[in-house]
Amino acid sequence: MIFIDACFKKQTPYTPVWFMRQAGRYLNEYKAVRTQAGDFLNLCKNPQLASEVTLQPVEILNVDAAILFSDILVVPLEMGMDLGFFAGEGPKFSKPIESQSDLDSLNDEAYTRLNYVYDTIALTRENLAKDKALIGFCGAPWTLATYMIEGEGSKTYAKSKKLLYSNPKFLHAILAKITRNLQYYLESQIQAGVNAVMVFDSWASALEESAYLEFGWEYCKQVASFIKRKYPDIPVILFPKGISGYLDKIDGEFDVFGVDWSTPLRIAKEKLGHKYTLQGNLEPCRIYHQASMLEGAQEILDLMRNSPHIFNLGHGMLPDLPRENAIKLVEFIHHYR
């Protein structure tokens, strides 16, 4: 698989490409399946439909990897938290974590209750072309903790950060419990058939450097090390969004570093390109305009020539991006020399 070869810094005939949120509302085929499912959580819990939308972008765009269709919040859901998705508001937990008793009540083995995810993986791997990789994923411990403490997405993360500074021991306990579940969750995904795993730390930029290294990155490293020591042939991708100011502090046992669009790729290459394959980092909004998109893609490909690289966006596909431009982008990358 060309994607797996690139993860391990092997020479490839062209730069492999896939897109974060490549299964989504910019595809009419996805919207039809979402309507059939009834709501987002039902779609995540239906292996037949979740597999169908996982495969759609591979068939439509011809990307080199599929990424499991699911959601990072299925882990706290199966830990015992009451989760709902609300139109225009996003995900919400009805009872956020506020006390030690709240934490103690959560399941230590949520990964055993996620069979619908593993069934989706098995079904997808069975129907995915042999030369295409299947990527599994989870949210990072810090990112999941913010949802579990705030009860929903946040602009300030005030509750989470208040806890960090006023009761760091309790926050570490929350993070440790999440981390254990994530380690075995990713292992179960591997056993079900994924070829690589990715950890999304979407809210990494919410913390100052010292706090992120202690409460964020350290737990990402624990997840990655657990997988690499047991499954050295499975690539691990880490994606901490918005930490360009301290890339020189990044270390750990993993294979691919995901670069967000706000981080200049040349800086990531200088700081990390000798240690890890880099993944990224086209600004997603460039896809709205084909000339801007191709100009940005060429700059990235030229910069990363002869360096280990996987082409991706610097964050996820947006719901109204023109699919014809996404198809053109994949063609351009595959044929660029």
Side-chain angles (χ1 to χ4, degrees), residues 22-39:
Q22 64 188 15
R25 287 174 287 171
Y26 73 102
L27 297 175
N28 289 331
E29 294 87 345
Y30 168 85
K31 288 190 283 189
V33 176
R34 170 75 176 266
T35 299
Q36 183 182 348
D39 63 42

Side-chain angles (χ1 to χ4, degrees), residues 261-325:
W261 64 265
S262 69
T263 299
L265 191 57
R266 59 179 173 77
I267 294 178
K269 180 182 178 182
E270 175 190 335
K271 302 283 188 182
L272 298 174
H274 61 291
K275 294 193 290 185
Y276 308 109
T277 294
L278 299 184
Q279 178 175 276
N281 72 333
L282 187 71
E283 218 278 26
C285 290
R286 279 185 179 263
I287 299 180
Y288 285 119
H289 185 259
Q290 190 171 119
S292 299
M293 173 187 79
L294 296 180
E295 178 186 31
Q298 183 171 338
E299 289 175 0
I300 289 170
L301 292 168
D302 286 345
L303 175 66
M304 296 306 296
R305 189 185 301 274
N306 300 320
S307 297
H309 180 230
I310 296 162
F311 197 99
N312 207 312
L313 306 181
H315 204 231
M317 294 284 279
L318 297 169
D320 60 342
L321 290 176
R323 64 187 281 162
E324 61 273 13
N325 285 0

